[in-house]
Amino acid sequence: MAYTVGQVAKAARVTVRTLHHYDEIGLLSPGGRTPAGYRRYDDADLERLQHIRFYRELGFPLEEIAAILDDPDADPAAHLRRQHELLTDRIGRLREMVAAIEIAMEARRMEIRLTPEERFEVFGDFDPDAHAEEAERRWGGSEAYRESTRRTAGYSKEDWLRNKAENEEWGRRLVEVMASGAPADSPAAMALAEEHRQLITRWFYDCSYEVHTGLADLYVADPRFTAHYEQIAPGMTAYLAEAIHANAISRA
């Protein structure tokens, strides 16, 4: 069966520009083309893309992924065994990290000393107290939670509005980079991923690259975080997650 580039992008949760980039560097070239020159992917291409996504998720650079997949001595079963091993190890590390990830969207709502009018101005229709109990249950024992709660407890209305403005400006620039067609691992996208990490560190808690990639996984996995970014721009969640992983790899 043949698939269009749009169908493959939607199924794999990557951008069309990413697939074009993979084709340009020879990592994933479509099995065929239409008479008009449009890409057509077959089942073997989708299987290769699945392997690429697995290794990307595990932090491998594109050059190394190409070398692994093009190794004539490696068979599909060997790839699956290796991925199972690596993913099992990562799951263990992610479980240890989960208490420290993405406190910003929850802990910043703890002990916010604003009047009802000020809360509406800062948060709109969102009710900060509605998520307080869940946030404490999920992350209350982590150092990141304690640090974020300590910082945000002293924030004024002006602090929150400044934080909101910085995040909105960052989001506007990320949308511009997406719209330009730049891939998620381009210098422009990675620079904004780095700025995202620094915003978290400046306002809430020390966000390491390991924690930041954990956040990226959470953005994609948790519908609440996905909805937050998708309302800014469709496809933003997957694009940002990929940019965060690429940025962490480039700085390793």
Side-chain angles (χ1 to χ4, degrees):
M1 184 172 178
Y3 306 89
T4 67
V5 66
Q7 289 173 323
V8 174
K10 183 176 181 180
R13 300 177 76 173
V14 299
T15 65
V16 170
R17 183 68 190 88
T18 294
L19 292 175
H20 288 176
H21 180 60
Y22 288 172
D23 186 10
E24 290 164 6
I25 64 175
L27 179 61
L28 178 67
S29 298
R33 289 185 181 265
T34 67
Y38 294 109
R39 295 170 174 85
R40 286 294 181 267
Y41 295 83
D42 56 28
D43 291 334
D45 298 327
L46 296 187
E47 183 178 356
R48 183 177 174 92
L49 179 58
Q50 183 182 41
H51 288 308
I52 292 169
R53 294 296 295 161
F54 271 134
Y55 284 118
R56 268 310 254 169
E57 196 69 25
L58 291 163
F60 284 72
L62 296 180
E63 297 80 2
E64 190 170 344
I65 294 173
I68 292 170
L69 296 182
D70 294 335
D71 181 357
D73 296 326
D75 58 65
H79 285 306
L80 291 174
R81 284 194 299 271
R82 183 180 188 185
Q83 289 163 6
H84 182 272
E85 239 176 73
L86 294 169
L87 283 170
T88 300
D89 178 64
R90 183 167 184 183
I91 286 168
R93 288 187 287 109
L94 285 174
R95 282 175 177 161
E96 294 173 358
M97 287 167 49
V98 72
I101 60 177
E102 192 47 293
I103 306 302
M105 293 186 70
E106 298 287 356
R108 73 178 185 177
R109 299 168 175 99
M110 308 292 96
E111 301 179 21
I112 301 172
R113 294 169 186 158
L114 302 177
T115 67
E117 293 78 11
E118 289 172 333
R119 286 188 177 211
F120 184 80
E121 183 178 352
V122 172
F123 300 112
D125 294 331
F126 182 83
D127 179 8
D129 295 327
H131 294 264
E133 185 176 341
E134 181 188 357
E136 185 169 6
R137 175 179 58 79
R138 291 179 67 180
W139 300 306
S142 70
E143 178 57 35
Y145 178 94
R146 290 190 291 271
E147 182 183 356
S148 183
T149 302
R150 177 183 58 77
R151 290 195 201 179
T152 58
Y155 286 174
S156 65
K157 169 191 167 183
E158 288 70 27
D159 292 325
W160 288 112
L161 288 174
R162 190 165 63 254
N163 170 262
K164 181 181 180 183
E166 287 185 12
N167 278 281
E168 288 176 347
E169 168 62 15
W170 168 84
R172 182 189 63 76
R173 287 184 283 118
L174 183 61
V175 170
E176 288 180 353
V177 171
M178 289 175 60
S180 74
D185 57 357
S186 66
M190 289 193 294
L192 284 166
E194 176 63 17
E195 186 175 332
H196 180 268
R197 187 186 71 83
Q198 292 175 5
L199 278 170
I200 295 172
T201 296
R202 184 161 69 253
W203 284 96
F204 302 108
Y205 57 90
D206 184 21
C207 183
S208 66
Y209 290 106
E210 185 177 16
V211 170
H212 203 210
T213 55
L215 296 182
D217 296 337
L218 185 64
Y219 294 155
V220 174
D222 191 314
R224 292 172 298 180
F225 297 120
T226 301
H228 169 74
Y229 288 108
E230 293 302 299
Q231 72 180 358
I232 299 174
M236 186 174 184
T237 312
Y239 187 88
L240 174 59
E242 189 171 348
I244 288 173
H245 276 282
N247 180 58
I249 292 168
S250 72
R251 296 170 184 271

